[in-house]
Amino acid sequence: MGKASIFRIFVPVSDIDQAVEFYKTLLDDEGREVHRGRHYFDCGPVILAIIENNGQPIADHIYFATAELESIFKRAKGLDCLESDDVHGSPSGEINVRPWRERSFYCRDPFGNGLCFVDDSTLFTGVR
């Protein structure tokens, strides 16, 4: 069997208009409406697909690599969406270097979906 690659991830939301405005601001990108109830944002080779339904939020976080960590953090702070939990001894909603040496912060969209933004120069991929 050949290798597979992820090209689209769905994020469930209950209000597409609110979600689109949130992600436009957070990602500093207009994205594109595919059809009513579905809006796509290109995140590198993977499409972040916002889809309106009444489903549960995703179980964990979606991890984004970025060279603009501080800019995204500032927008997340303005959206008042930073998490207030603890990640291995440091606040999740602040930019910190995690024990696995990634520099990151965590936030949640208005629908409870977890997002983590990681400085792309510090990515931990499990490969040494």
Side-chain angles (χ1 to χ4, degrees), residues 97-114:
V97 176
R98 309 300 169 187
W100 49 95
R101 294 186 290 253
E102 280 183 344
R103 191 167 166 262
S104 65
F105 74 90
Y106 293 79
C107 63
R108 292 205 174 259
D109 76 8
F111 311 96
N113 295 298

Side-chain angles (χ1 to χ4, degrees), residues 73-119:
F73 178 77
K74 189 176 194 178
R75 292 193 297 271
K77 191 172 185 177
L79 288 165
D80 195 28
C81 67
L82 297 170
E83 287 190 355
S84 58
D85 297 332
D86 183 81
V87 174
H88 298 278
S90 61
S92 58
E94 294 179 9
I95 296 175
N96 280 300
V97 176
R98 309 300 169 187
W100 49 95
R101 294 186 290 253
E102 280 183 344
R103 191 167 166 262
S104 65
F105 74 90
Y106 293 79
C107 63
R108 292 205 174 259
D109 76 8
F111 311 96
N113 295 298
L115 311 169
C116 179
F117 291 88
V118 181
D119 180 324

Side-chain angles (χ1 to χ4, degrees), residues 9-31:
I9 295 175
F10 281 96
V11 176
V13 300
S14 58
D15 182 328
I16 193 70
D17 296 324
Q18 181 186 9
V20 167
E21 288 307 311
F22 174 85
Y23 281 97
K24 279 182 178 180
T25 300
L26 183 63
L27 299 174
D28 193 26
D29 187 305
E30 292 295 312

Side-chain angles (χ1 to χ4, degrees), residues 32-43:
R32 63 190 173 284
E33 183 179 49
V34 176
H35 61 75
R36 183 71 189 141
R38 186 177 290 195
H39 201 94
Y40 283 6
F41 292 89
D42 293 319
C43 296

